[in-house]
Structure formats: structure tokens, C-alpha cells
Amino acid sequence: SSDVCSSDLQILNKDYSAAQSTLEAVKAPNATTYYMMAVVAARTNNEQAVYAKPRQAAALDASIKDRAAIDKEFANYNVANL
């Protein structure tokens, strides 16, 4: 969706607050939306969301677990057991 694309640009520009707002405004969040929320959480040291958002994503797309386990965004977190 265009909202997720907007959040990608905001994340690249390190505008994490705007990215979070954009993602939270998505009317029908999907696995990618939740995954991007987890990326924002990792970059802003929001440990609770780092674990919660990938779980929500994995509930919609089980392959997210494998992706998160190797994603460098989560290198400082133990997300292997989502």
C-alpha cells in the first residue's frame, strides 16, 4: 500500500515518529505493516514492540519468523523464538 511505501521513506530518512504514525494509520494492517512497525521499534529501542509486532506479523504470515530471525534490524534482540 502507499502508506507502507511512505513509511519506508520515513524510515530511510530516520523520521521514525512519522513512520510510526503512518503505520498506525493503516486501516487494514497486514504482515508487512506489523513487520515495519517492528523495524521502527528496533531503531527506537522500543523492546516491547520489537517482540510484539513480529508476533502479530507472523500470525498473518508464518514466513515472517524466519525473516526476523536473520534480519540485522533485530540483531540486538532475540527474536528467533517468536
Side-chain angles (χ1 to χ4, degrees):
S1 84
S2 64
D3 288 336
V4 173
C5 292
S6 295
S7 70
D8 288 348
L9 291 173
Q10 291 162 337
I11 291 169
L12 289 173
N13 290 325
K14 298 183 180 179
D15 191 352
Y16 304 126
S17 179
Q20 185 65 32
S21 294
T22 299
L23 291 164
E24 288 174 355
V26 174
K27 289 181 179 24
N30 61 22
T32 300
T33 309
Y34 290 122
Y35 195 87
M36 296 305 296
M37 288 179 176
V39 169
V40 171
R43 292 192 180 188
T44 57
N45 300 311
N46 180 345
E47 189 170 348
Q48 181 180 358
V50 167
Y51 295 108
K53 297 305 177 184
R55 280 190 198 105
Q56 287 177 288
L60 299 172
D61 178 354
S63 71
I64 292 291
K65 291 179 184 181
D66 294 333
R67 180 176 169 193
I70 61 170
D71 192 330
K72 292 181 181 182
E73 293 287 352
F74 308 115
N76 295 327
Y77 302 95
N78 182 12
V79 295
N81 296 318
L82 292 175

